[in-house]
Amino acid sequence: MFRNALEPWHLLVLAAVVIMIFGSKKLPDTARALGKSLRILRSETRAMRDDDASDASDEARPEHRT
């Protein structure tokens, strides 16, 4: 049913609608803010993954008490 749902002309129409809604003056600022948000999201996700990996390695490591 949705085999070829997204074609290149769909993207062109979407881009035209976005430009009409936001205006060409605000698009660079919006793109910059979106880029910053994605960078923050990636860094937080990476930090969570590293934290989980360090927790797993701590649990696998036996404790030596003397």
Side-chain angles (χ1 to χ4, degrees):
M1 182 175 180
F2 295 108
R3 186 173 230 176
N4 293 326
L6 190 62
E7 294 184 12
W9 68 270
H10 289 121
L11 296 175
L12 290 174
V13 170
L14 182 64
V17 169
V18 167
I19 289 172
M20 287 173 28
I21 290 174
F22 291 110
S24 60
K25 292 182 180 181
K26 289 190 177 186
L27 281 179
D29 294 334
T30 305
R32 194 174 301 117
L34 181 64
K36 278 185 178 180
S37 299
L38 287 175
R39 262 185 256 123
I40 291 170
L41 179 66
R42 273 192 225 133
S43 68
E44 292 296 325
T45 317
R46 192 176 304 124
M48 287 177 61
R49 225 180 290 139
D50 292 344
D51 190 38
D52 288 345
S54 68
D55 287 346
S57 66
D58 288 345
E59 289 175 4
R61 191 179 314 149
E63 291 186 30
H64 294 286
R65 294 183 182 172
T66 50

